[in-house]
Amino acid sequence: ISESMMKNINDAGLNVSSIKGQANPRTIPCEKCGKLYKSKWHVRRHDEAVHLRVKNYECGFCRGRFYYHDKYRKHLASCGSKGGRALPGGWNTDCGFNN
């Protein structure tokens, strides 16, 4: 384990030998920054959003792009409720989202 990963484990009040006995501990570190996560899926999602800056989700109304699906869904509810709709030759800009 790298020094930064050990620091995160210690900052969380854990020690390496006690991690396995805890329910849902954050034990999987990001290899780039050492932040701890519960699963490999969470580490991958973190890496794509924070380190790679990949925006996988695009609003069909205003073309806003998002890192996380939950933020995208929340935006869709707001953007769509303002009468937004994808129009041929144009995009809704009434939602107030500025990417």
Side-chain angles (χ1 to χ4, degrees), residues 55 63-66 97-99:
K55 293 183 177 183
R63 297 183 102 177
R65 295 185 60 83
F66 301 88
F97 182 78
N98 185 7
N99 209 9

Side-chain angles (χ1 to χ4, degrees), residues 1-10 15-17 19 27-30 34 36:
I1 296 178
S2 74
E3 202 170 301
S4 65
M5 290 178 199
M6 281 303 297
K7 182 180 180 327
N8 283 339
I9 290 169
N10 291 331
N15 64 49
V16 176
S17 61
I19 288 175
T27 61
I28 302 171
C30 169
L36 299 173

Side-chain angles (χ1 to χ4, degrees), residues 24-66:
N24 293 322
R26 294 180 179 208
T27 61
I28 302 171
C30 169
E31 292 180 358
K32 295 177 182 169
C33 69
K35 190 169 181 180
L36 299 173
Y37 290 92
K38 292 180 186 179
S39 71
K40 290 179 183 179
W41 180 85
H42 287 102
V43 174
R44 186 175 64 243
R45 186 175 89 141
H46 158 79
D47 184 51
E48 288 178 356
V50 175
H51 301 298
L52 301 176
R53 312 289 290 168
V54 175
K55 293 183 177 183
N56 286 320
Y57 307 98
E58 182 175 351
C59 176
F61 300 114
C62 70
R63 297 183 102 177
R65 295 185 60 83
F66 301 88

